């Protein structure tokens, strides 16, 4: 029996499908795109390192601390550090918390499922009784409003889970920058392959979370739960943060009568791949804080590219936002390739058809994003 050759795709993003099947990225390859993506990921890797450490610190030491004034100090509380914090001369850890809340709200994956189990609730109950053994007021609150403390610890688990996820991504982006500096990365396809290799290498990395109170350890996310990096943090992160996101305060109305926000959570399209590059500098638009953090670590070669544009660095945060969005299309490409049912380079017709169906499903998600804007005016690689 002769296998039927793969027919052309009729999907509106067929060109993007063909590019993925050819081993390329969603973002078209060009020297400027390569420089932008690697440069912004180099900066992002440094920021994620700080975010990861703080989230893990909060999960380990700020659990059941209801007035956590010093949660961003990572356990080092000095007058000089507090003055820098109040002055704003610091990493904006608020963005990391914003992201964790977004993941928790959208849910998905084994982490979200486990936090709804009786085992998790029972562990939280034992933890609260141990921590507040000599505090009858909190024990009474826990007895009457048990969901309050359980929800608090769910959030702590998400802080730790996201911190562990970002730990891996920070290392991937930092090593990518090092390889680029050594001349080992010369195309976006190689960028995507580097990220994909990193995702695959840590796919089965356990996601665990334990806290200790007066010598007793409480396994809130035990190893026996079988939670791992790729299915339980990476994939939910892509869905919640890259695609769905949350509406930015100050840019749309939350008034139900205004009808500016979809009534169905699954219809949200405010993620990193959908967002307009609009750093408004207003409180309540956390992505602006991420751009402000990354601007401190932008490599010189990327600064030089920005200076050559019409406005120079006058709209630096907007430029960083655009570069960041382009880089996230490359990260998404790596995830798409890594999760494909068969290697995208396969020559087996049946596997090619299965991959085609898989890619068309992804393109339904990609279609509403800003991929066309990211690729607009991009010259063909020489």
């Amino acid at each position: 029996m002769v296998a039927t050759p793969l027919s052309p795709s009729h999907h509106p993003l067929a060109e993007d499908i063909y590019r993925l099947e050819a081993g390329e990225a969603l973002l078209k390859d060009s020297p400027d795109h390569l420089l932008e993506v690697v440069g912004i990921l180099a900066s992002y890797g440094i920021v994620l390192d700080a975010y990861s450490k703080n989230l893990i610190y909060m999960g380990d030491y700020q659990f059941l601390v209801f007035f956590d004034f010093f949660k961003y100090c990572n356990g080092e509380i000095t007058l000089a550090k507090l003055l820098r914090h109040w002055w704003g001369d610091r990493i904006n850890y608020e963005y990391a918390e914003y992201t964790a809340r977004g993941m928790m709200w959208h849910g998905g994956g084994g982490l979200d499922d486990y936090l709804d189990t009786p085992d998790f609730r029972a562990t939280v109950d034992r933890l609260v009784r141990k921590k507040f053994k000599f505090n009858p007021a909190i024990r009474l609150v826990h007895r009457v409003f048990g969901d309050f403390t359980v929800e608090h610890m769910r959030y702590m688990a998400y802080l730790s889970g996201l911190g562990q996820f970002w730990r891996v991504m920070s290392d991937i982006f930092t090593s990518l920058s090092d390889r680029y500096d050594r001349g080992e990365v010369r195309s976006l396809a190689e960028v995507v392959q580097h990220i994909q290799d990193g995702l695959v290498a840590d796919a089965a990395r356990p996601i665990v979370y334990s806290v200790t109170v007066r010598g007793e350890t409480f396994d809130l996310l035990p190893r026996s739960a079988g939670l791992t990096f790729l299915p339980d943090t990476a994939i939910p992160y892509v869905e919640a943060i890259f695609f769905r996101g949350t509406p930015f305060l100050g840019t749309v109305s939350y008034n139900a009568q205004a009808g500016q926000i979809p009534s169905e959570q699954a219809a949200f399209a405010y993620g990193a791949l959908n967002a307009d590059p609009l750093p408004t500098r207003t409180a309540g638009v956390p992505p602006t804080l991420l751009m402000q953090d990354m601007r401190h670590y932008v490599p010189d070669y990327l600064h030089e590219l920005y200076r050559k544009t019409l406005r120079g660095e006058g709209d630096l945060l907007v430029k960083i936002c655009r570069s960041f969005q382009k880089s996230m299309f490359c990260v998404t490409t790596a995830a798409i390739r890594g999760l494909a049912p068969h290697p995208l380079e396969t020559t087996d017709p049946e596997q090619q058809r299965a991959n085609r169906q898989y890619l068309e499903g992804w393109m339904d998600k990609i279609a509403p994003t800003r991929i066309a804007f990211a690729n607009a005016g991009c010259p063909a690689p020489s």
Side-chain angles (χ1 to χ4, degrees):
M1 180 177 179
V2 179
T4 305
L6 192 62
S7 59
S9 173
H10 298 290
H11 196 279
L13 297 185
E15 179 185 346
D16 299 275
I17 292 175
Y18 301 150
R19 197 159 56 246
L20 289 172
E21 290 174 339
E24 301 176 22
L26 285 167
L27 184 68
K28 292 181 180 178
D29 204 354
S30 75
D32 284 354
H33 274 176
L34 175 62
L35 191 149
E36 277 189 85
V37 167
V38 175
I40 210 64
L41 288 181
S43 173
Y44 191 43
I46 297 172
V47 173
L48 285 191
D49 176 67
Y51 286 172
S52 171
K53 290 175 180 176
N54 183 248
L55 290 180
I56 292 174
Y57 164 77
M58 285 197 289
D60 289 347
Y61 299 104
Q62 297 293 300
F63 63 94
L64 297 174
V65 177
F66 303 116
F67 301 99
D68 45 1
F69 300 111
F70 304 109
K71 61 184 177 181
Y72 298 144
C73 292
N74 290 346
E76 180 190 349
I77 304 172
T78 65
L79 178 59
K81 193 167 189 176
L82 289 174
L83 290 174
R84 289 197 303 271
H85 178 92
W86 293 329
W87 186 253
D89 181 21
R90 62 179 176 89
I91 292 289
N92 292 290
Y93 296 114
E94 292 89 340
Y95 177 76
E97 284 202 86
Y98 163 82
T99 303
R101 292 185 189 279
M103 282 189 68
M104 180 177 175
W105 190 60
H106 285 295
L111 173 58
D112 185 57
D113 291 340
Y114 183 78
L115 296 180
D116 288 331
T117 62
D119 287 346
F120 179 78
R121 182 177 284 272
T123 304
V124 172
D125 182 66
R126 291 190 296 105
L127 171 64
V128 172
R129 293 177 185 276
K130 180 75 172 185
K131 185 174 178 65
F132 298 107
K133 181 178 181 180
F134 305 107
N135 191 325
I138 298 297
R139 292 206 312 275
L140 177 62
V141 170
H142 174 63
R143 188 178 306 117
V144 178
F145 306 104
D147 286 344
F148 172 75
T149 47
V150 171
E151 192 71 5
H152 175 86
M153 290 311 301
R154 284 193 183 111
Y155 177 54
M156 291 293 109
Y158 261 100
L159 291 182
S160 181
L162 178 59
Q164 293 172 66
F165 167 72
W166 271 344
R167 173 71 274 144
V168 173
M169 301 311 297
S170 173
D171 293 342
I172 290 174
F173 298 151
T174 301
S175 60
L176 171 67
S177 176
D178 292 341
R179 291 187 60 208
Y180 177 80
D181 291 341
R182 294 194 298 266
E184 298 174 8
V185 174
R186 297 184 175 87
S187 69
L188 288 183
E190 292 175 336
V191 169
V192 169
Q193 188 62 53
H194 175 92
I195 298 171
Q196 180 183 342
D197 290 344
L199 293 174
V200 171
D202 280 288
R205 179 174 178 154
I207 300 297
V208 295
Y209 173 44
S210 301
V211 298
T212 302
V213 175
R214 290 195 287 274
E216 183 176 353
T217 299
F218 297 84
D219 294 325
L220 292 152
L221 298 179
R223 190 174 293 268
S224 60
L227 304 177
T228 54
F229 167 79
L230 188 61
D232 301 313
T233 58
I235 296 175
Y237 179 89
V238 169
E239 178 68 25
I241 306 305
F242 282 15
F243 290 101
R244 292 188 183 180
T246 53
F248 300 158
L249 292 169
T251 61
V252 295
S253 172
Y254 275 64
N255 190 313
Q257 284 70 36
Q260 294 185 5
I261 297 174
S263 58
E264 298 295 328
Q265 190 173 343
F268 274 36
Y270 301 99
L273 302 184
N274 303 81
D276 294 325
L278 185 68
T280 63
R281 295 180 180 270
T282 60
V285 186
T288 302
L289 302 182
L290 174 61
M291 306 310 145
Q292 289 175 341
D293 288 340
M294 288 197 291
R295 71 184 173 88
H296 295 293
Y297 307 105
V298 171
D300 290 341
Y301 58 80
L302 186 51
H303 269 297
E304 185 59 30
L305 179 66
Y306 291 157
R307 292 188 189 105
K308 292 178 181 178
T309 60
L310 182 61
R311 295 182 182 177
E313 294 192 35
D315 58 345
L316 181 61
L317 294 187
V318 174
K319 287 184 171 65
I320 289 174
C321 187
R322 288 172 176 161
S323 297
F324 178 72
Q325 193 170 62
K326 291 176 182 179
S327 73
M328 292 302 101
F329 279 113
C330 292
V331 175
T332 303
T333 302
I336 291 173
R337 290 180 58 83
L339 295 170
H342 307 285
L344 295 185
E345 300 80 10
T346 181
T347 57
D348 181 279
E350 290 300 324
Q351 294 183 358
Q352 287 178 336
R353 276 189 284 275
N355 284 343
R356 173 64 62 79
Q357 185 176 9
Y358 163 81
L359 292 176
E360 288 179 343
W362 268 100
M363 290 307 107
D364 291 339
K365 286 179 172 290
I366 295 294
T369 70
R370 291 181 58 87
I371 184 62
F373 292 91
N375 283 326
C378 177
S382 57

